[in-house]
């Protein structure tokens, strides 16, 4: 099911930046841990980053550590993914995910049960 709405994708040159946003319009944002996944052409969906309800617990894939930052604004029911120093390997459809469970943020797909439709990020060399 589609409960989340992503935005902010686009085309950027290598070394550039993008900020993705994800809104949960019909859910109590305070209940949910949130995450970002991505899927590149010919590859399986992979974990990118996740954040717990309070925003103090975050996890990142090794491939994006020190370049991407996940954050959230519960008053706006929104989670963000700031992507810096983008590389062509970051090209993918990025999906926002959520779970109603409070606690530590999941890092695997089965830990989430609400998803967005995705936003395309393309990084040119």
């Amino acid at each position: 099911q589609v409960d989340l709405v992503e935005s902010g994708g686009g085309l950027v040159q290598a070394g550039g930046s993008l900020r993705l946003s994800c809104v949960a319009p019909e859910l109590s944002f305070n209940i949910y841990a949130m995450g970002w996944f991505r899927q590149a052409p010919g590859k399986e969906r992979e974990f990118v980053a996740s954040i717990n309800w309070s925003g103090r617990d975050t996890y990142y894939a090794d491939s994006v550590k020190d370049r991407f930052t996940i954050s959230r604004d519960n008053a706006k029911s929104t989670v963000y993914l700031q992507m810096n120093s983008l590389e062509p390997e970051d090209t993918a459809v990025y999906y926002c995910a959520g779970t109603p469970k409070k606690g530590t943020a999941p890092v695997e797909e089965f830990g989430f049960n609400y998803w967005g439709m995705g936003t395309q990020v393309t990084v040119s060399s």
Side-chain angles (χ1 to χ4, degrees):
Q1 60 180 343
V2 179
D3 299 290
L4 311 175
V5 181
E6 306 100 333
S7 63
L11 175 63
V12 65
Q13 292 185 346
S17 299
L18 287 173
R19 188 181 73 163
L20 306 183
S21 299
C22 174
V23 180
E26 298 181 356
L27 303 173
S28 178
F29 199 66
N30 292 338
I31 298 175
Y32 294 85
M34 307 292 292
W36 290 95
F37 292 77
R38 66 186 183 185
Q39 187 167 23
K43 297 184 178 180
E44 296 182 352
R45 187 183 298 178
E46 65 175 346
F47 170 76
V48 176
S50 62
I51 187 168
N52 76 337
W53 173 83
S54 70
R56 294 188 291 269
D57 175 25
T58 60
Y59 297 94
Y60 297 93
D62 288 342
S63 59
V64 306
K65 285 183 178 178
D66 302 320
R67 298 190 298 119
F68 292 9
T69 302
I70 188 170
S71 62
R72 67 192 298 163
D73 184 342
N74 288 347
K76 298 180 179 179
S77 298
T78 302
V79 64
Y80 304 96
L81 185 68
Q82 179 67 46
M83 305 185 294
N84 299 326
S85 301
L86 283 163
E87 304 168 352
E89 292 75 18
D90 297 315
T91 295
V93 177
Y94 283 70
Y95 298 91
C96 182
T99 174
K101 183 180 180 180
K102 283 188 174 181
T104 58
V107 296
E108 297 178 336
E109 288 189 38
F110 70 81
F112 297 92
N113 53 359
Y114 297 98
W115 295 84
M117 295 187 66
T119 184
Q120 177 71 48
V121 172
T122 302
V123 184
S124 64
S125 59

